[in-house]
Amino acid sequence: MRKIPTNSPTKPELPLDLTGPHITIGASSAHRLYQALCETIVSGLVKPGEPLPPSRMLAKQTGFRRNAVVTAYERLIADGFAQATVGSGTFVAARIPARAAAPKKKAIVETPGQAALALGCTHIDERALQRFRAFVGRRMRAFGSEHLHYGDPRGSRELRVAIADHLLSARGLRCDPDQIMLTSGTLHTLRIILGAILKADDQVWCEDPGYPIARRTIAQCGYRTVPIPVDAHGLQIARGRTAAPSARAAYVTPSHQFPLGVQMSMPRRLELLDWAKQAGAFVLEDDYDSEFRYDGAPLMSLAGIDHLQRVIYMGTFAKTLFPGLRIGYCALPERLIGDVTAARAALDRFPGTLMEGAVADMLNSGAFAANLKRVRKLYREARDTLAETLEAASEGALSVPVPSQGLHLVARFDPSVAPAIAAEAKQAAGAEGWLLADTYARARPLPGFVLGFSGHAVPRLVAAAEGLAREARAALRSKGKSARRA
């Protein structure tokens, strides 16, 4: 990192508030000092162009180490709040950038407009958000000609290189950046890939229960979905061979099956890969939440085992950063690069370029990994609190296995209970989330709920869980009275 001069001309002590609502509790000294300096600058207590005190003086004033002060100054400069002049020192910037209000007594920006228990919500750590803003600002200030013409249908090479590095370190998947394609998300990826590798009316294995939105997307593209049952070891390959031996593709969530949360066992993974090789089919691996593993190391991705021969790997930044980015990606077998690239170019030419550089900066700088580490702790707490609340408040009406991975859990009634009881309880509670029965296509549905715990404040989760559990008990009591009357 470039050395930043911090020996400004002497000035009185800065009026810093290091305990106010703009300060992130539990953050590092450098981050808290950065927030206090930002607040002082934005509020006008120091004027544009005024010198900031030497780092040693500010360290003495605050009681922080000098390296924390230097780090805070470097962030002020990177984010446009200050500027450094070699030999002169550090000064408040002549023009102060607009800054969103800091969250009150909270380190996390919560997804707005989503009721507790809804799926697909995210947190983003305030420190990561500030870094992302800085990266976006830096990229916009260095606006280049690459934004002025049509780009590579696969997306920028810089971000594809960063994703390839991430997949190798996080998922054991070795691939060349030329095998990476950027998309606007998993469903967009599905449309592009299926259009490149399938013909109209081809069959596609889909997990049952499974992700209903993906199932509908495949059907809307003109392909026949074939529901294949899932058990405690994942997709039942033998059932697939019987139901549709000539299927041309299989859509699976092997690391954390949606919605049941089981991991596909290694024997099943190898069996699935054997089928794909024998049938000349491809496996679409939706690795939608593998970054959020709470207990132990995840199994290697299917694509990593297969070395990208018959497996197409799909990922997204919707959950690891935020959905508004609209950036997903896939890793392709080499034999498919040409066909899939051509299909992409025919569909929408190429992905948007403005955010690609900032996301690459997040990955390359370590900010992405740091955000995951911090947010993972929050999600673990939310998961544990939700599971404990549901089991306790339902007084045995609901069984809640605690998932080792992911951003949702399943709360189940006894299998003998009719799925209509779950629907009655959910409606009465006004709860978000999904009915477990709605994720089934052909198999006999189990009664219960699919509930999200990410992106929600813990007190709201507790209140929503208590309400749902209360209505679950009431629905069961009502069923018992009806049975007695009958």
Side-chain angles (χ1 to χ4, degrees), residues 288-337:
Y288 65 101
D289 63 6
S290 64
E291 289 90 351
F292 300 102
R293 177 77 177 172
Y294 308 110
D295 304 301
L299 289 174
M300 181 181 288
S301 65
L302 267 178
I305 299 170
D306 176 62
H307 304 296
L308 283 176
Q309 296 298 309
R310 286 283 165 184
V311 177
I312 299 163
Y313 180 95
M314 301 187 295
T316 176
F317 291 105
K319 296 174 178 65
T320 52
L321 289 174
F322 51 90
L325 274 176
R326 302 307 303 140
I327 296 180
Y329 56 89
C330 59
L332 302 165
E334 287 187 16
R335 74 184 80 181
L336 295 182
I337 293 174

Side-chain angles (χ1 to χ4, degrees), residues 204-286:
V204 180
W205 291 1
C206 293
E207 297 166 324
D208 189 17
Y211 186 40
I213 299 175
R215 194 162 54 222
R216 287 197 295 269
T217 296
I218 295 169
Q220 287 174 358
C221 289
Y223 311 112
R224 287 188 291 160
T225 60
V226 183
I228 308 300
V230 172
D231 62 16
H233 302 286
L235 189 76
Q236 297 184 43
I237 315 304
R239 298 284 293 272
R241 288 181 181 271
T242 300
S246 60
R248 305 301 299 164
Y251 168 80
V252 294
T253 54
S255 294
H256 184 237
Q257 199 277 331
F258 187 92
L260 299 181
V262 301
Q263 279 192 341
M264 185 181 289
S265 66
M266 188 57 70
R268 288 279 177 87
R269 290 171 182 242
L270 298 177
E271 189 180 357
L272 178 60
L273 296 178
D274 286 342
W275 165 78
K277 183 177 180 180
Q278 293 165 8
F282 288 96
V283 177
L284 292 91
E285 178 182 14
D286 186 351

